[in-house]
Amino acid sequence: DAKTTQPPSMDCAEGRAANLPCNHSTISGNEYVYWYRQIHSQGPQYIIHGLKNNETNEMASLIITEDRKSSTLILPHATLRDTAVYYCIVKDNNNDMRFGAGTRLTVKP
Amino acid sequence: EAQVTQNPRYLITVTGKKLTVTCSQNMNHEYMSWYRQDPGLGLRQIYYSMNVEVTDKGDVPEGYKVSRKEKRNFPLILESPSPNQTSLYFCASSLTVLGNQPQHFGDGTRLSIL
């Protein structure tokens, strides 16, 4: 699976959009980009995933660059409850989720 | 409600005393897996199962056993626990083995082996 690079930490003001970047320059054509988050020591929570098109659901939007070498997770109106560690993962059909260190997002009042 | 349920949530035990952590999902998922999470090391996969009676090793299988006799259950067995197995454990499941199916995680089991 391709490796990902994320900033170790980010801050965001409450009510503003949180944009979390992820680099995956070695991604291959059949690998999906997934985003999960983990609040404190709870189980990782699935947020969104995509292959090449941008995706949106009730939680977030996923923007994947045309060359697929990077992506951005957007939380449109961050709240204090969005404070968590966010993981960007790329994976193929072998279904092996490999979690990196992620980005610790802190939403501040 | 669709969920992955782990039990117990917390356990303190002693070296060598066999223990089992249960995992059950009610979503009719084929794929299930176990992870451990340690500070600085992130989540690492222990074992996974693509379907009933099909299990395979993940990245850190030493000291663990699993079984998949029914689709909904995937217990993690520590035959002779040691202190280095003190960790936070997560069970996860997904609909199929295909890569475009997200995994759903349980709430975790915190094990302390003294």
Side-chain angles (χ1 to χ4, degrees):
Chain A
D1 289 349
K3 294 192 174 174
T4 61
T5 304
Q6 299 177 252
S9 64
M10 293 181 63
D11 291 342
C12 176
E14 188 178 19
R16 304 295 294 269
N19 297 286
L20 292 94
C22 180
N23 285 322
H24 31 80
S25 59
T26 59
I27 193 170
S28 59
N30 61 347
E31 288 183 314
Y32 287 79
V33 179
Y34 277 80
W35 284 85
Y36 282 78
R37 73 181 182 183
Q38 188 173 23
I39 298 172
H40 195 46
S41 294
Q42 298 177 19
Q45 178 188 22
Y46 165 75
I47 301 173
I48 199 166
H49 75 285
L51 184 61
K52 56 177 86 170
N53 298 322
N54 297 337
E55 302 287 344
T56 295
N57 63 21
E58 64 278 2
M59 289 182 68
S61 294
L62 173 60
I63 308 298
I64 302 174
T65 57
E66 194 168 342
D67 63 9
R68 302 209 325 124
K69 292 185 178 182
S70 66
S71 61
T72 301
L73 178 75
I74 301 173
L75 308 177
H77 306 286
T79 71
L80 298 179
R81 285 182 292 184
D82 291 322
T83 292
V85 178
Y86 287 77
Y87 298 98
C88 169
I89 301 162
V90 293
K91 63 180 291 297
D92 62 17
N93 282 342
N94 69 14
N95 217 26
D96 185 16
M97 284 278 178
R98 291 183 180 272
F99 288 77
T103 296
R104 182 173 297 277
L105 174 69
T106 303
V107 181
K108 298 186 173 180
Chain B
E1 180 188 349
Q3 60 186 357
V4 177
T5 303
Q6 299 178 224
N7 280 296
R9 294 290 314 280
Y10 304 92
L11 179 64
I12 301 174
T13 188
V14 296
T15 300
K17 185 176 181 182
K18 180 180 178 180
L19 67 92
T20 300
V21 184
T22 63
C23 174
S24 179
Q25 50 89 9
N26 62 359
M27 296 169 279
N28 202 35
H29 284 174
E30 289 184 354
Y31 183 90
M32 298 185 75
S33 64
W34 276 102
Y35 297 85
R36 62 178 288 174
Q37 186 172 30
D38 303 289
L41 297 176
L43 279 127
R44 296 177 292 168
Q45 191 178 55
I46 303 171
Y47 268 95
Y48 63 95
S49 169
M50 293 192 180
N51 214 323
V52 176
E53 301 292 0
V54 180
T55 63
D56 212 341
K57 297 177 181 179
D59 294 327
V60 287
E62 294 77 22
Y64 304 94
K65 288 175 58 177
V66 293
S67 69
R68 189 88 183 276
K69 296 177 182 172
E70 311 163 276
K71 201 173 199 179
R72 64 182 295 129
N73 296 321
F74 190 45
L76 179 70
I77 304 157
L78 286 71
E79 293 270 4
S80 183
S82 63
N84 64 10
Q85 293 177 298
T86 292
S87 187
L88 179 58
Y89 291 85
F90 292 103
C91 179
S93 72
S94 62
L95 183 61
T96 71
V97 72
L98 292 178
N100 65 342
Q101 297 292 335
Q103 288 192 29
H104 302 266
F105 285 78
D107 289 333
T109 295
R110 188 170 292 279
L111 287 184
S112 293
I113 316 295
L114 305 178

